[in-house]
Amino acid sequence: MEMNKEWIKNPEIFKMNRDDPKASLKYYKNKEEMEHEKSSFKILLNGVWKFEYAESLEKSNDEFFKVDYDCTTWNDINVPGHLQLQGYGKPMYVNQIYPWSASEEIIPGEIPLHNPVGHYVKYIDINDEMLKNDIKICFHGVESAFALWINGKFVGYSEDSFTPSTFDISQYVKAGKNKIAVQVYRFSSGSWLEDQDFWRFSGIFRDVELLLVPLTHLDDLKVITKLNDDYTKAVVHLDLDIIGQNSDSEITVSLYDKKQLIASETVEQTGKQKLHFCVDQPQLWSSENPHLYQIIIEITENGKTIEVVQQNVGIREFQIIDGLMCINGKRIVFHGVNRHEFSPRTGRVISYEETKKDLLIMKESNINALRTSHYPNQAFVYDLCDELGLYVIDEVNLETHGTWSEFFDREHILPNNNLKWLDNILDRANSMYERDKNHPSILIWSLGNESYGGEVIYQESQFLRKKDQTRLIHYEGIFYDRSYPDTSDIESQMYTPAVDVEKFITEHPEKPFILCEYAHAMGNSNGALYKYTDLEKKYPLYQGGFIWDFVDQALEDKDGILRYGGDFKDRPSDYDFCGNGIVFADRTLTPKMQEVKYCYQYIHMDIDEDNIRITNNNLFTNLNKYTFFIQLFQAGQLVEEITQIIDLEPENSYLLKNPFTVEDRATQYHILITVKDQNNHAVAHEQFIYECHKKEEYAHLDITIVEDYLNIGIIGENFQAKFSKAKGLTSYKVNDEEMIRVMPRPNFFRASTNNDVENKYGYRYSQWLPASLYAKIKFMKVIKDKQKCQIYFEYQLPNLGDETVNLVYTIFGDGEIVLDMDYQPNEKYIEMPAFGMMFQLYKEYNHVEYFGFGPEENYIDRNSGAILGKYNYDVKDNMTKYLYPQECGNRTNVQAIKISNGKHDLYIRGNVEFSALPYTPFEIENARHIDELPNIYQTVLCIYEKQMGIAGDNTWGAKTHDEFLLSNKDKHYLHFSLKGR
Ligand code: GAL
Ligand code: MG
């Protein structure tokens, strides 16, 4: 048979001569190999291949696979790798639309004319020893379709970018040099099913392996575990498929718990075999205790080992009990994230080490679940989830978002009821299922993402249900078309605000509810996350959600800067919509993680003056494996610490007497409880802040006031302040050091966050921008005293009513300046985004120490995870490296700030929010990328009574929740003091 290019555009042809998918098993030649995890059966063909690129199918090379076609002069390319990151075409980022949008008008099934083709060639040596085996080749991921030739002969064709394609090539290979030739098509009919919101690439982007298969061989294995009613007895069922005829072979199957043998059986026949082992008092697998047993299957021939297979087994039960999803009999709550496999240098080519790092970050951040959005990940991801303990929703590589948006011709919705696509989609589901079926971590199969409803996906659900009764089926897309409501076992929604979730679950108790995506973490986001995690405590039916998403999909440019869509001159683009991670592309944690980790913690503590109520929300873990550090702080200084072990069974509460008594109300006291594991890693915390009525005291020292028609000077010991009557504070000199660079002024504007941009913040709040830039002093007055001087300014705001902003500076004899600013808003106008003052200081004032909420940036709707304490930062580092520069670096509940140039310090006292950044909000507003910001020339200190919350339910319109806005009815007051030294 020859390759037929018509297949590429025919949705009914998606494979040719490809092997049926099998469980991803670890094969070794003998036990030594197994011990060292090094298999001689597997020869990695990664590395340098020869490569030729063609702009289109028409221009593709149809001779290159021939044995005597010389490819040695071709360029080199790396496998695995995307073509677009190796100089062929450019990386393109689009969300819903198909990449050919605005270039070619085609309907589902058709493929664009601009369809670049990659020609890959690799020569490999095969020896006689190898030829004693069957020989297969496995491509773990090729986007979007490819054809394979070995030694000039056509072997096969395959689609589905994200599952392995294995071909038996025994009949094509020979001893000596062999030519492997692969033609990769950027677009195929399958591309219509791969419209995920991600970077659009093509090429061989996952491992390629040559597999040596002994003639007697475990071809497939299926493991399922069953438990009795009280989980004290388990049965491990094995379905083995052994191929080969040799009558001298013996197959020994053993079950181990670590090194200890539990049971063993020998089979003397090949073919399909069923076995089971009983385990008494099994250690159950869960994310809290990911205990794994091992199955080892050894095939011998005439007493000699020829193949050893190792398979981890987790004994667990996942099912719906009384309407709720339960793991080992207990109601599960998913503290999940969605994750794209993505690395800033290599795109979706991501190594085991990088992956492990991601999953460890999840574990450390109290994340217990992963949705492999939106395709089956590399096989080792699931091994790691089994080992580390992460619940997985494994998702079929299917998304047709661009076919059913409201602007698209409804008749072309894919797949809907169009049975022409059924086999293609079942094949995708099957490849995922068969490869991944033995992983205890996978609890749920997801039928795909955003592919509408209809019969085809319903059939897909039935297909998987029939194959697997030990897991549940998830599909969110029926939200848009409920014609086949049984498609999903779970009610799954995306981005539903917490109040609407509450309403839905009270009206629809039929299915357990999850949010497969929520809390859109784009830029400075994740406001009011706690509203969702509060729901899980109130409503059993709400079983958690998966944050969108784990890591920014940003690509590092040659200059080291992280870039987003459009930056590679790729158009159309959805620009920085690819950056929604709670982790930055370089894997440093974003400040959002502070909140996520807190909201996701499993130990809940309620502290008041008398008691500490501790609730253990783990399902299987006694708290006695942790240590509680209970600390009392006075004005931020630790004064007492008690450590305690608390023996508390899962799902139980305990009332502990508050060990501290605090009577002094003139100093700020607070309690912090930190719960740590054996590695000193904090797993949970809670704080309690005592009420405090600090008395403000000011100096009684004489001052000198010098006034003329333009300026006023206030002179005291070691300081002098100067005001321009028309413009404000022009100078504050302490110990001969001038601290004011630009006159401070009221500020009401914050640079737009991504959420702001999309909820039309700029448009809605527009008058507050000129109000901040162009407020005008309308009136001023001076009140002189022997020991203090008060200077009033009244500011008039453009485009607003007559209400003035009143700012009073009170200068005391020791140089302390108290600022009082108030404003009575007019209900006719939208509330201010922020109410505060901006100081533009000399850039040498670049180090900040403060007592307030931290350590990471926080906002009134994202500060539950923040901890009251003393922190410090360098101003340049406070510019959070969001892909798109935006409001950042704020701290709430701040009582004291010191900003220093190394020699001199400016002290601020008050009860404020603040940020110190190298840029003004206006400069930040003007920049679309980090490198568009000016060189640092100043320190911008903003001190706010309050700034509105940052929102986060989604980044396509969701606004800051009402309670986190500034009032436009009540009067606003800002009160703090400055003192230089
Ligand atoms: C969802 C989609 C994700 C992503 C997200 C927005 O609708 O499933 O893939 O596009 O929105 O960032
Ligand atoms: Mg989508």
Side-chain angles (χ1 to χ4, degrees), residues 299-315:
I299 304 181
T300 56
E301 239 168 52
N302 302 320
K304 187 172 176 284
T305 304
I306 59 160
E307 184 177 86
V308 180
V309 178
Q310 198 261 1
Q311 172 66 49
N312 283 334
V313 176
I315 299 179

Side-chain angles (χ1 to χ4, degrees), residues 265-276:
E265 256 190 66
T266 303
V267 188
E268 276 166 21
Q269 249 155 39
T270 55
K272 292 198 192 314
Q273 303 287 343
K274 279 187 189 299
L275 275 185
H276 67 266

Side-chain angles (χ1 to χ4, degrees), residues 815-828:
E816 182 160 22
I817 304 179
V818 176
L819 288 90
D820 286 283
M821 186 165 88
D822 68 58
Y823 177 67
Q824 173 58 57
N826 183 334
E827 281 185 53
K828 254 183 29 207

